[in-house]
Amino acid sequence: MGFWWRPLSVLASVLLVALILWAGSGWIAALGFLAGVQAFVMLRRLWQEFRLARWLENPDEVDPPDATGTWGDIFYRLQKLQRRQRTSRSELTSALEQFEHAAQAVPDGMVILNRSEQIEWCNPASRKYMGLDCERDRGQFIRYLLRQAHFLEFLDAADYSQRLVCKSPINRELTLSVQLVPFGSAQKLLVARDITDLERVDAMRRDFIANVSHELRTPLTVVGGFVETLADAQELPATETKRYFDLMLDHTRRMQHLLDDLLVLSRLEGDENSLKDEVIHVHDLARSLKSEAESLSRGRHQVTLTLDSAASLKGGLQEIRSALSNLVSNAVRYTPEGGEITLAWRERNGEGIFSVTDTGEGIAAEHIPRLTERFYRVDRSRSRETGGTGLGLAIVKHVLTRHGARLDIQSTPGKGSTFSVIFPAQRVLQPREPASEKDGDNVIPFRERGQAAG
Ligand code: ADP
């Protein structure tokens, strides 16, 4: 009613004036007055329409014309409408920008396909995984761009509950999991996720289970075979029986060692097993490792200990002991009789280096990068003969990684190897100042040498 009130009251006033004129001056004067008003209204209307048309040509840049009366009302309403549109347009633009940013940040490749499987949109990750380019490939049929047979079959099947696992068409090193998600009116969202790491972990898990089963099967078969023989045999000479029991004991020990190493590895991998920060007196540890080497060697090697640093270490004593003990045991096991084994502790540029050097069979260069893999052995039968499980260096690597330390392997086939554990400076503790030397542990003579008994 607000809008109509003004024009109706103006009309009523004009008619009233016309009536008064008619009554006072006759009908010609009244008609003349009405014609004048009509002409004025028409001219004013033409003028306002002209202003409105001029404004509508460029409504975003020019303010709407101002006017009074009905036209003022119309312009005011148009301006309100224009403001509301501007606000919703800027809200829409910022929502679109946010979507665009989110789509750019998504690590998965995403492609929107229309009902004819033409590309409508794709994000930057789809270039990395599928070689698509949003600008270049918009409107292209996806089938013409990705032509692998299994991908085309996957598209044809249109089974949205299934995922396709395939190699990336532009990088064979990448494994992708591709999924189709229907949405809107017959559109589809194609999502490609990089599952290379997952696949690798899965392959490692499968290999690991196969390896453990294989490692356990041989000794179990041997022990089972002897038990059957002993059960079936009526009477066996005592020497023969003893030989069987010795062999069974050997194989049982092998299984025991394997399970022990597996338990150590799983304990190291467990999250709850937080790293201890004990003070490790390396000299004591080195002496005890030297004794261990001598007892393993049983006089077949010459064992030497060189202590060129008085520093201690910070870390888990049991873990470091088990890692270094593995290196010592390997040196003894892979060094023929008469060889030399040297344990050494020194510092270089603040780092602590514990090395185990042997004059054994050495390792060819191509094997060195793989030695810390689980169950990787250069010579499987040699490892088994000497009681190896193939897990020793994997344990070493785990322990060192937890301590921020690294393993360096230098080896020459036929001459020998040096396995050096390099501890970072923050794990190396310098001996205390003279005031606390009464402690005893810190006053250590440099360069101590010892030889294997026998
Ligand atoms: P294993 O129980 O078989 O010794 P490790 O993980 O300790 O397993 O070592 C992996 C492989 O590395 C061994 O099988 C062996 O071939 C090689 N290796 C390790 N230490 C030495 C060494 N000191 N000299 C020669 N080869 C070694």
Side-chain angles (χ1 to χ4, degrees):
M1 186 61 205
F3 177 82
W4 291 111
W5 183 84
R6 196 195 303 262
L8 285 179
S9 59
V10 171
L11 187 65
S13 312
V14 168
L15 286 177
L16 188 65
V17 173
L19 276 175
I20 293 169
L21 278 175
W22 194 354
S25 314
W27 61 271
I28 294 181
L31 270 183
F33 170 73
L34 283 177
V37 169
Q38 176 74 7
F40 172 76
V41 169
M42 267 176 63
L43 280 174
R44 189 164 181 265
R45 192 170 143 182
L46 267 176
W47 169 235
Q48 299 296 18
E49 278 173 359
F50 166 74
R51 293 173 76 197
L52 179 65
R54 206 172 51 183
W55 175 63
L56 286 177
E57 270 172 22
N58 218 349
D60 281 337
E61 276 155 40
V62 183
D63 281 340
D66 51 338
T68 51
T70 315
W71 280 101
D73 228 30
I74 292 172
F75 291 149
Y76 171 71
R77 279 162 199 245
L78 278 172
Q79 191 178 15
K80 239 169 80 175
L81 207 66
Q82 184 199 27
R83 280 206 202 109
R84 213 179 302 147
Q85 259 181 354
R86 264 193 210 150
T87 316
S88 60
R89 203 189 312 147
S90 79
E91 278 172 5
L92 208 65
T93 313
S94 91
L96 259 174
E97 270 173 11
Q98 277 188 19
F99 170 76
E100 195 79 18
H101 288 148
Q104 306 251 347
V106 172
D108 299 339
M110 298 200 306
V111 186
I112 292 180
L113 302 173
N114 65 15
R115 65 171 67 236
S116 326
E117 293 173 352
Q118 284 165 297
I119 297 175
E120 283 189 347
W121 172 90
C122 56
N123 71 344
S126 64
R127 173 194 282 268
K128 189 166 129 201
Y129 297 142
M130 296 176 272
L132 300 177
D133 182 316
C134 199
E135 294 304 313
R136 188 194 60 202
D137 298 329
R138 185 169 288 139
Q140 297 280 348
F141 289 94
I142 189 103
R143 285 169 186 270
Y144 296 161
L145 299 176
L146 307 177
R147 291 155 173 264
Q148 289 92 336
H150 44 265
F151 178 71
L152 299 180
E153 277 166 25
F154 176 69
L155 277 183
D156 289 337
D159 182 352
Y160 304 119
S161 62
Q162 292 298 317
R163 284 163 196 260
L164 170 73
V165 174
C166 59
K167 291 285 170 201
S168 154
I170 54 157
N171 182 354
R172 306 299 297 164
E173 310 254 290
L174 293 182
T175 307
L176 302 178
S177 161
V178 181
Q179 195 183 2
L180 273 175
V181 185
F183 76 100
S185 56
Q187 282 169 299
K188 283 174 219 155
L189 177 66
L190 186 133
V191 184
R193 175 163 300 166
D194 178 8
I195 55 161
T196 315
D197 287 343
L198 278 176
E199 278 284 292
R200 202 174 294 140
V201 170
D202 206 39
M204 272 168 63
R205 187 184 55 80
R206 283 196 302 268
D207 284 357
F208 182 70
I209 292 172
N211 274 319
V212 172
S213 320
H214 180 76
E215 294 291 329
L216 284 174
R217 195 170 47 212
T218 316
L220 264 177
T221 313
V222 173
V223 172
F226 284 133
V227 170
E228 263 177 36
T229 312
L230 286 169
D232 291 348
Q234 300 299 335
E235 264 183 31
L236 275 176
T239 49
E240 192 77 345
T241 314
K242 166 126 183 32
R243 198 174 70 82
Y244 285 176
F245 275 118
D246 283 348
L247 282 167
M248 283 201 285
L249 201 60
D250 264 5
H251 285 278
T252 312
R253 282 204 186 112
R254 217 170 104 186
M255 289 191 275
Q256 185 70 51
H257 286 156
L258 181 66
L259 291 177
D260 287 347
D261 279 356
L262 284 171
L263 280 175
V264 171
L265 266 179
S266 87
R267 223 176 324 120
L268 284 171
E269 280 174 350
D271 278 341
E272 70 287 350
N273 185 26
S274 60
L275 182 59
K276 290 196 186 124
D277 258 351
E278 296 160 318
V279 174
I280 304 168
H281 299 291
V282 181
H283 285 211
D284 292 348
L285 177 60
R287 285 192 200 105
S288 124
L289 288 169
K290 179 176 169 256
S291 307
E292 195 177 308
E294 285 166 349
S295 99
L296 274 173
S297 160
R298 285 195 240 110
R300 289 176 294 123
H301 308 94
Q302 184 184 339
V303 184
T304 306
L305 174 64
T306 304
L307 296 171
D308 280 341
S309 159
S312 304
L313 278 173
K314 196 169 66 170
L317 174 61
Q318 281 318 316
E319 288 186 24
I320 296 286
R321 174 172 235 300
S322 116
L324 299 181
S325 163
N326 267 309
L327 298 182
V328 168
S329 142
N330 282 355
V332 174
R333 290 190 297 117
Y334 297 109
T335 303
E337 193 162 353
E340 285 174 31
I341 292 162
T342 307
L343 314 186
W345 173 233
R346 65 180 196 283
E347 280 175 74
R348 190 185 58 199
N349 303 329
E351 293 179 320
I353 304 176
F354 193 98
S355 59
V356 180
T357 304
D358 63 58
T359 55
E361 56 200 53
I363 308 155
E366 71 265 24
H367 296 294
I368 292 180
R370 299 197 59 191
L371 289 184
T372 53
E373 286 174 23
R374 292 164 188 202
F375 297 110
Y376 188 85
R377 290 133 154 165
V378 177
D379 180 345
R380 194 165 278 268
S381 57
R382 173 100 179 84
S383 157
R384 289 220 182 104
E385 271 166 31
T386 56
T389 59
L391 294 173
L393 291 180
I395 293 175
V396 172
K397 187 182 168 194
H398 244 292
V399 171
L400 301 193
T401 307
R402 281 162 60 80
H403 285 80
R406 59 187 199 277
L407 180 68
D408 176 70
I409 306 172
Q410 301 293 329
S411 188
T412 313
K415 290 202 168 162
S417 320
T418 297
F419 286 74
S420 304
V421 176
I422 303 162
F423 294 95
Q426 57 270 29
R427 294 232 159 250
V428 179
L429 300 172
Q430 293 306 327
R432 284 181 232 153
E433 295 302 311
S436 52
E437 274 188 357
K438 58 182 179 304
D439 184 313
D441 272 348
N442 299 311
V443 193
I444 296 163
F446 274 38
R447 200 163 285 275
E448 173 184 309
R449 289 186 184 273
Q451 294 203 336

